Amino acid sequence: MKNTKYVFVTGGVTSSLGKGIIAASLAKLLQERGYSVTIQKLDPYINIDPGTLNPYEHGECYVTEDGAETDLDLGHYERFLNIPTSQANNVTTGRIYQSVIDKERKGEFLGKTVQVIPHITDEIKHRIQLLGNTGDFDIVITEIGGTVGDIESLPYVESVRQLLWELGHENAIVIHLTLVPYLAAAGELKTKPTQHSVKMLMQSGVSPDILVCRTEHEISEAIKNKLALFCNVKKEDVIQSIDAETIYDVPNLMLEEGLDTVVLKKLQLPGDKQPTLTEWNNFLKGFKNPKSTIEIGLIGKYVELHDAYKSITEAFIHAGAINEVDVHINWIHSGELTVKNVPKILKNLNGILVAPGFGERGIEGKIEAIKYARENNIPFLGICLGMQMAVIEFSRNVLGIQDASSSEMDKETIHPVIDLMEEQKNITNYGGTMRLGAWDCSLKEGSKIRHIYNKELISERHRHRYEFNNDYLGQIEKAGMIATGKNAKTNLVEVIEIPSHPWFIGVQYHPEYKSTVLNPHPLFVNFVKASLEHSLT
Ligand code: GLN
């Protein structure tokens, strides 16, 4: 059993400072030094999880192995650390209140008045220590979502205050991430917002141990001294986090600044083993020195907000680096595609990815794009809804079933080639009720997908309600689209491909969730390779 130490990361001044990336970079450095580390995100909103949130609100909903629908920061944690996260790694205020209220209904509080302190804070502290109590981790980094001073964040900051006392200062520390803005008119970096935000944190009884300061310009020694003086920290505990070209540079930047060194010192942990970041830097070398460029069309209905497809774009970065190619993404709104404009918009693409999604909007555009990719031998990857649309396109245009559809889009269709799963039919609640998390899939011998994974049994993560309708499998296969991946127990179709096409694959699961820096996903790696070959023809 390990004596787990805790690092809390709070944010001040503004949101979007990149707490998740700082937490992931610190974790990476500690991992390189031989510590087992995990990262947890506490989100101060009332939704039980982000599963029911519109992607425009919150970006992508990331799915873990155990089927938790989580914040997209968990994707960064997995991509940086190369280890899976779970439901315990993401907790929302909604979930905290739900457990406390459930306990109250069961009479577990013995007639007491249930209050924010101690009942809500006890539940928060319990959730924070759940990962530590597994005994698997030397260090748990807990990122508190939101900005210090927000009403929603107060119970979390209070829980951190209590834990710092209970665990002792050698076992728990606070990193406060702030912004040091540059005022162009004055030609100066300003420390006042940081001073105020630290003051705000102190009003809640928490003093930061380390300040990480986001900045567009180098922070001078004089400014570090000033921040140290006003914010109750030592100068060496003021860490600069300058804007980076890519998030993948941040571990190196934090190493240069010595963030991991000060963290280990404060936690009284040995820091003899230095991080080398060897494999990480090999990846960066490939990423930063591409030998050519390919044009990939990413077709979806939330393309205005790139964060809605975070894991997909990151998977392309990993796959591009290993192929030494710059994957240039063309963001294409499915709602804008028509029979007429598809050839013009898609003609210069080397690969077409039709993205996951929900609902009717934009699906005809997706179907037109798939038809174009199929007829023009352009490498095509369909993910989840993208795979379902490929089945509809094939049924309509190759099999001639004009009104083939999905019962998600057309409840009355007489040809639901994509249909609601039997076990979904009686579900009325939207939250957390899809087919979620990791499922096994066996790949057909001789298929392209089997060749790509180079094994028979794979496990991939899911998030959907609708499925390939096996009633149509015979006709579809006869016409040339083959189900090459199936779940052996349920017989559900997980992969389709068209062997007569150079590269046409649709997957019911989400490969993007499992791509990491050190383990780029084979499907993306091979899709990029095929697109590169297409670009050379
Ligand atoms: N809307 C589809 C379903 O529920 C696809 C979901 C997805 O693309 N993640 O089956």
Side-chain angles (χ1 to χ4, degrees):
M1 188 80 176
K2 295 176 192 285
N3 170 26
T4 305
K5 309 245 175 182
Y6 293 86
V7 177
F8 300 104
V9 182
T10 57
V13 185
T14 74
S15 57
S16 305
L17 289 182
K19 279 195 297 272
I21 300 299
I22 294 293
S25 301
L26 170 63
K28 183 78 221 164
L29 295 176
L30 296 171
Q31 190 188 49
E32 284 262 320
R33 285 176 178 268
Y35 291 102
S36 57
V37 192
T38 190
I39 318 175
Q40 177 187 45
K41 170 113 192 246
L42 304 181
D43 275 312
Y45 52 73
I46 317 284
N47 306 61
I48 301 289
D49 60 43
T52 53
L53 286 176
N54 184 325
Y56 285 132
E57 278 287 310
H58 199 256
E60 166 188 274
C61 172
Y62 186 77
V63 178
T64 58
E65 287 289 294
D66 63 348
E69 297 178 278
T70 71
D71 185 77
L72 60 75
D73 269 345
L74 271 81
H76 290 309
Y77 307 160
E78 290 203 11
R79 289 187 281 273
F80 274 54
L81 294 184
N82 205 28
I83 54 166
T85 54
S86 70
Q87 179 64 73
N89 294 73
N90 193 195
V91 178
T92 67
T93 295
R95 205 171 274 279
I96 300 277
Y97 272 80
Q98 193 184 43
S99 342
V100 172
I101 291 169
D102 283 349
K103 283 185 195 157
E104 186 272 337
R105 291 288 83 182
K106 286 189 200 139
E108 285 181 27
F109 297 112
L110 305 172
K112 287 252 179 274
T113 309
V114 180
Q115 295 179 298
V116 172
I117 306 171
H119 302 101
I120 295 297
T121 49
D122 277 354
E123 183 65 28
I124 294 174
K125 289 193 291 180
H126 166 70
R127 300 280 182 148
I128 290 173
Q129 291 176 100
L130 264 186
L131 287 164
N133 292 342
T134 58
D136 293 340
F137 303 105
D138 298 306
I139 302 166
V140 175
I141 300 178
T142 298
E143 179 193 342
I144 316 278
T147 308
V148 165
D150 294 349
I151 291 176
E152 291 93 334
S153 302
L154 283 175
Y156 292 98
V157 177
E158 168 59 17
S159 306
V160 169
R161 185 193 68 76
Q162 294 176 19
L163 271 180
L164 292 172
W165 281 104
E166 287 164 17
L167 297 169
H169 221 80
E170 68 288 8
N171 293 317
I173 59 166
V174 176
I175 297 177
H176 189 54
L177 179 65
T178 73
L179 175 71
V180 176
Y182 179 74
L183 281 197
E188 268 186 284
L189 287 170
K190 291 297 189 188
T191 64
K192 195 71 83 188
T194 300
Q195 295 179 38
H196 280 298
S197 127
V198 170
K199 210 176 263 176
M200 185 87 79
L201 195 57
M202 283 175 159
Q203 275 171 9
S204 306
V206 174
S207 294
D209 297 280
I210 297 166
L211 286 182
V212 175
C213 303
R214 289 298 316 277
T215 176
E216 289 171 22
H217 297 274
E218 291 282 336
I219 296 180
S220 66
E221 293 299 300
I223 292 202
K224 282 194 177 179
N225 275 326
K226 192 170 172 187
L227 284 165
L229 180 70
F230 281 98
C231 301
N232 273 12
V233 293
K234 292 209 189 86
K235 195 184 118 204
E236 75 228 40
D237 300 332
V238 180
I239 303 288
Q240 158 183 296
S241 168
I242 201 156
D243 285 359
E245 191 188 314
T246 148
I247 56 168
Y248 296 107
D249 278 337
V250 181
N252 279 306
L253 292 173
M254 290 301 104
L255 179 61
E256 277 166 35
E257 282 286 316
L259 176 62
D260 53 329
T261 310
V262 291
V263 165
L264 289 179
K265 207 162 125 195
K266 287 187 189 293
L267 294 175
Q268 299 181 10
L269 289 170
D272 325 325
K273 189 170 174 240
Q274 287 297 316
T276 58
L277 291 171
T278 314
E279 287 171 281
W280 187 272
N281 288 334
N282 277 342
F283 150 77
L284 273 178
K285 211 161 107 201
F287 176 38
K288 291 194 172 183
N289 300 289
K291 298 208 167 78
S292 50
T293 301
I294 54 168
E295 298 295 332
I296 298 289
L298 196 159
I299 302 177
K301 69 169 180 177
Y302 311 108
V303 291
E304 304 90 329
L305 183 73
H306 296 182
D307 269 3
Y309 302 102
K310 196 76 202 163
S311 294
I312 293 179
T313 53
E314 299 308 301
F316 272 127
I317 290 177
H318 310 151
I322 209 163
N323 279 293
E324 296 180 303
V325 34
D326 174 25
V327 179
H328 179 247
I329 294 184
N330 297 251
W331 297 91
I332 301 169
H333 201 298
S334 50
E336 281 161 17
L337 294 176
T338 61
V339 182
K340 241 170 133 190
N341 67 18
V342 153
K344 205 169 116 229
I345 297 179
L346 306 186
K347 77 171 182 298
N348 292 324
L349 298 177
N350 308 121
I352 292 178
L353 184 143
V354 175
F358 293 83
E360 201 182 351
R361 185 165 67 94
I363 62 149
E364 294 304 324
K366 287 186 171 176
I367 292 173
E368 277 313 315
I370 296 167
K371 178 165 187 265
Y372 185 82
R374 183 176 57 75
E375 290 179 344
N376 292 282
N377 287 336
I378 301 171
F380 166 80
L381 175 59
I383 299 181
C384 207
L385 184 70
M387 173 265 199
Q388 298 176 351
M389 293 304 115
V391 173
I392 294 175
E393 190 280 321
F394 192 84
S395 306
R396 287 186 190 173
N397 300 325
V398 179
L399 273 175
I401 312 176
Q402 288 306 326
D403 48 1
S405 191
S406 159
S407 43
E408 178 179 7
M409 325 302 168
D410 179 1
K411 288 206 169 24
E412 308 302 320
T413 178
I414 46 166
H415 289 297
V417 290
I418 303 295
D419 201 6
L420 196 59
M421 279 178 278
E422 211 40 59
E423 60 270 31
Q424 288 282 337
K425 289 191 174 153
N426 297 321
I427 292 177
T428 48
N429 259 2
Y430 271 112
T433 55
M434 281 187 255
R435 180 179 176 209
L436 288 165
W439 290 76
D440 284 345
C441 167
S442 358
L443 304 177
K444 193 173 174 151
E445 204 169 340
S447 63
K448 192 184 281 300
I449 194 94
R450 172 89 171 249
H451 171 73
I452 290 171
Y453 279 86
N454 197 21
K455 56 180 170 187
E456 189 199 339
L457 192 68
I458 59 164
S459 165
E460 292 280 6
R461 301 183 198 169
H462 290 246
R463 182 172 185 253
H464 56 103
R465 289 182 208 285
Y466 295 82
E467 294 284 352
F468 185 104
N469 183 345
N470 273 325
D471 292 350
Y472 292 86
L473 182 60
Q475 323 174 39
I476 288 178
E477 287 207 322
K478 217 158 141 207
M481 174 182 269
I482 313 292
T484 51
K486 279 189 186 172
N487 179 292
K489 277 196 203 121
T490 58
N491 216 21
L492 290 172
V493 172
E494 314 283 39
V495 187
I496 53 96
E497 55 185 272
I498 301 180
S500 61
H501 185 286
W503 210 102
F504 190 105
I505 295 179
V507 287
Q508 185 57 80
Y509 53 79
H510 291 260
E512 69 274 22
Y513 293 143
K514 281 178 78 166
S515 186
T516 71
V517 167
L518 298 191
N519 228 344
H521 196 287
L523 202 46
F524 278 87
V525 173
N526 204 274
F527 178 57
V528 166
K529 191 163 161 263
S531 305
L532 179 61
E533 279 158 19
H534 179 274
S535 76
L536 303 173
T537 56

PDB file of all heavy atoms in Angstrom, residues 1 44 191 203 261 299 439 454 521 527:
ATOM      1  N   MET A   1       0.858  -1.205   0.000  1.00  0.00           N
ATOM      2  CA  MET A   1       0.000   0.000   0.000  1.00  0.00           C
ATOM      3  C   MET A   1       0.889   1.248   0.000  1.00  0.00           C
ATOM      4  O   MET A   1       1.798   1.380   0.819  1.00  0.00           O
ATOM      5  CB  MET A   1      -0.875  -0.048   1.261  1.00  0.00           C
ATOM      6  CG  MET A   1      -1.948   1.016   1.302  1.00  0.00           C
ATOM      7  SD  MET A   1      -3.362   0.542   0.310  1.00  0.00           S
ATOM      8  CE  MET A   1      -4.465   1.884   0.657  1.00  0.00           C
ATOM      9  N   PRO A  44     -17.323  21.790 -11.158  1.00  0.00           N
ATOM     10  CA  PRO A  44     -18.323  22.380 -10.262  1.00  0.00           C
ATOM     11  C   PRO A  44     -19.714  22.591 -10.881  1.00  0.00           C
ATOM     12  O   PRO A  44     -20.433  23.442 -10.391  1.00  0.00           O
ATOM     13  CB  PRO A  44     -17.700  23.720  -9.870  1.00  0.00           C
ATOM     14  CG  PRO A  44     -16.394  23.805 -10.555  1.00  0.00           C
ATOM     15  CD  PRO A  44     -16.351  22.766 -11.612  1.00  0.00           C
ATOM     16  N   THR A 191       1.280  41.992 -12.414  1.00  0.00           N
ATOM     17  CA  THR A 191       1.141  40.957 -11.377  1.00  0.00           C
ATOM     18  C   THR A 191      -0.131  41.107 -10.549  1.00  0.00           C
ATOM     19  O   THR A 191      -0.482  40.207  -9.795  1.00  0.00           O
ATOM     20  CB  THR A 191       2.331  40.995 -10.399  1.00  0.00           C
ATOM     21  OG1 THR A 191       2.319  42.248  -9.702  1.00  0.00           O
ATOM     22  CG2 THR A 191       3.656  40.806 -11.103  1.00  0.00           C
ATOM     23  N   GLN A 203      -8.507  33.976   1.416  1.00  0.00           N
ATOM     24  CA  GLN A 203      -9.742  34.248   2.173  1.00  0.00           C
ATOM     25  C   GLN A 203     -10.481  32.962   2.495  1.00  0.00           C
ATOM     26  O   GLN A 203     -11.240  32.881   3.445  1.00  0.00           O
ATOM     27  CB  GLN A 203     -10.667  35.158   1.365  1.00  0.00           C
ATOM     28  CG  GLN A 203     -10.330  36.618   1.543  1.00  0.00           C
ATOM     29  CD  GLN A 203     -11.101  37.498   0.568  1.00  0.00           C
ATOM     30  OE1 GLN A 203     -11.997  37.041  -0.127  1.00  0.00           O
ATOM     31  NE2 GLN A 203     -10.735  38.757   0.520  1.00  0.00           N
ATOM     32  N   THR A 261      10.567  19.377  -9.755  1.00  0.00           N
ATOM     33  CA  THR A 261      11.544  19.416  -8.655  1.00  0.00           C
ATOM     34  C   THR A 261      10.935  20.068  -7.416  1.00  0.00           C
ATOM     35  O   THR A 261      11.033  19.524  -6.316  1.00  0.00           O
ATOM     36  CB  THR A 261      12.806  20.216  -9.087  1.00  0.00           C
ATOM     37  OG1 THR A 261      13.231  19.704 -10.331  1.00  0.00           O
ATOM     38  CG2 THR A 261      13.913  20.104  -8.075  1.00  0.00           C
ATOM     39  N   ILE A 299     -15.621  15.817 -41.369  1.00  0.00           N
ATOM     40  CA  ILE A 299     -16.997  16.234 -41.639  1.00  0.00           C
ATOM     41  C   ILE A 299     -17.869  15.972 -40.425  1.00  0.00           C
ATOM     42  O   ILE A 299     -18.013  14.833 -39.978  1.00  0.00           O
ATOM     43  CB  ILE A 299     -17.519  15.494 -42.884  1.00  0.00           C
ATOM     44  CG1 ILE A 299     -16.567  15.837 -44.040  1.00  0.00           C
ATOM     45  CG2 ILE A 299     -18.968  15.880 -43.191  1.00  0.00           C
ATOM     46  CD1 ILE A 299     -16.859  15.163 -45.311  1.00  0.00           C
ATOM     47  N   TRP A 439     -15.834  -2.609 -25.056  1.00  0.00           N
ATOM     48  CA  TRP A 439     -16.461  -3.861 -25.482  1.00  0.00           C
ATOM     49  C   TRP A 439     -15.482  -4.603 -26.381  1.00  0.00           C
ATOM     50  O   TRP A 439     -14.757  -3.986 -27.152  1.00  0.00           O
ATOM     51  CB  TRP A 439     -17.747  -3.576 -26.274  1.00  0.00           C
ATOM     52  CG  TRP A 439     -18.854  -3.029 -25.435  1.00  0.00           C
ATOM     53  CD1 TRP A 439     -18.948  -1.752 -24.956  1.00  0.00           C
ATOM     54  CD2 TRP A 439     -20.011  -3.729 -24.959  1.00  0.00           C
ATOM     55  NE1 TRP A 439     -20.098  -1.621 -24.215  1.00  0.00           N
ATOM     56  CE2 TRP A 439     -20.771  -2.811 -24.197  1.00  0.00           C
ATOM     57  CE3 TRP A 439     -20.469  -5.041 -25.100  1.00  0.00           C
ATOM     58  CZ2 TRP A 439     -21.970  -3.168 -23.585  1.00  0.00           C
ATOM     59  CZ3 TRP A 439     -21.661  -5.391 -24.497  1.00  0.00           C
ATOM     60  CH2 TRP A 439     -22.402  -4.464 -23.745  1.00  0.00           C
ATOM     61  N   ASN A 454      -3.475  -6.184 -36.451  1.00  0.00           N
ATOM     62  CA  ASN A 454      -2.572  -7.321 -36.352  1.00  0.00           C
ATOM     63  C   ASN A 454      -2.911  -8.238 -35.182  1.00  0.00           C
ATOM     64  O   ASN A 454      -2.038  -8.781 -34.522  1.00  0.00           O
ATOM     65  CB  ASN A 454      -1.125  -6.816 -36.279  1.00  0.00           C
ATOM     66  CG  ASN A 454      -0.134  -7.906 -36.590  1.00  0.00           C
ATOM     67  OD1 ASN A 454      -0.507  -8.907 -37.236  1.00  0.00           O
ATOM     68  ND2 ASN A 454       1.095  -7.763 -36.125  1.00  0.00           N
ATOM     69  N   HIS A 521      -3.016   5.372 -32.211  1.00  0.00           N
ATOM     70  CA  HIS A 521      -3.970   4.315 -32.548  1.00  0.00           C
ATOM     71  C   HIS A 521      -3.711   3.750 -33.944  1.00  0.00           C
ATOM     72  O   HIS A 521      -3.604   4.507 -34.903  1.00  0.00           O
ATOM     73  CB  HIS A 521      -5.391   4.853 -32.464  1.00  0.00           C
ATOM     74  CG  HIS A 521      -6.381   3.749 -32.412  1.00  0.00           C
ATOM     75  ND1 HIS A 521      -6.683   2.980 -33.500  1.00  0.00           N
ATOM     76  CD2 HIS A 521      -7.095   3.242 -31.373  1.00  0.00           C
ATOM     77  CE1 HIS A 521      -7.565   2.048 -33.152  1.00  0.00           C
ATOM     78  NE2 HIS A 521      -7.832   2.197 -31.861  1.00  0.00           N
ATOM     79  N   PHE A 527      -4.827   4.943 -41.471  1.00  0.00           N
ATOM     80  CA  PHE A 527      -5.652   5.861 -42.283  1.00  0.00           C
ATOM     81  C   PHE A 527      -4.777   6.999 -42.819  1.00  0.00           C
ATOM     82  O   PHE A 527      -4.875   7.379 -43.995  1.00  0.00           O
ATOM     83  CB  PHE A 527      -6.803   6.396 -41.424  1.00  0.00           C
ATOM     84  CG  PHE A 527      -7.704   7.380 -42.126  1.00  0.00           C
ATOM     85  CD1 PHE A 527      -8.354   7.051 -43.310  1.00  0.00           C
ATOM     86  CD2 PHE A 527      -7.927   8.646 -41.587  1.00  0.00           C
ATOM     87  CE1 PHE A 527      -9.198   7.957 -43.947  1.00  0.00           C
ATOM     88  CE2 PHE A 527      -8.769   9.550 -42.206  1.00  0.00           C
ATOM     89  CZ  PHE A 527      -9.403   9.214 -43.395  1.00  0.00           C
TER      90      PHE A 527
END
